[in-house]
Amino acid sequence: GGRLQLIQGGAELALGLQAYEEVYAASWKEPEPYASFIPGLVQACAERGWLRLGIAWLGDKPIAAQLWIVASGKASIYKVAYHEGYKAYTPGTLLTAMLMQHVQGPDGVSEVDYLIGDDPYKKTWMNDRRERWGLIVYNPRNLVGLFGLLRELGGRCVKSLQRRRKQPAE
């Protein structure tokens, strides 16, 4: 009763987006901070021919979803999620395999990129890993720079405290 669906736009787009949002809500992922961002991104990508939205279904229920963006010979894996209750079926793995075949076949991409994160499952699919580093620079000698620096340091302190709270006591 399972099937995999690839949506690139057209009449299936609204149902695909609804399925994506249902899966995302049932996954381990934090809710999106801006509810209209993903629908807008999906619509914009579909209009340009960049959208590859994969949905894994079990009967009439969506159990996994992946949002890929394909442009300029590169596939960027933007979002992946699966319904926690159907983890044993490995719907994410099946969906990734289908999308990999599509982007390397008909789409003819030369590169597939998971973008950010070192999640262990990514090693299964990728041959190479690239590190990206960024610099944040502020000039504390002026008011704008000082404010930016204080905001950055404050944010890091808050994140550090949040991580400590989540760690189990020994």
Side-chain angles (χ1 to χ4, degrees), residues 110-129:
S110 57
E111 180 179 350
V112 177
D113 190 346
Y114 264 108
L115 301 175
I116 61 171
D118 275 336
D119 304 289
Y121 72 90
K122 294 176 181 179
K123 294 175 184 167
T124 304
W125 297 99
M126 298 292 128
N127 294 329
D128 298 313
R129 179 182 173 276

Side-chain angles (χ1 to χ4, degrees), residues 51-94:
L51 179 67
R52 304 298 179 270
L53 178 60
I55 308 291
W57 298 86
L58 189 58
D60 292 334
K61 182 162 190 63
I63 61 171
Q66 295 189 11
L67 171 55
W68 292 30
I69 301 169
V70 176
S72 303
K74 180 178 179 180
S76 299
I77 304 172
Y78 191 73
K79 290 279 186 178
V80 300
Y82 59 85
H83 190 296
E84 287 283 354
Y86 297 91
K87 182 178 182 176
Y89 291 103
T90 64
T93 300
L94 297 171

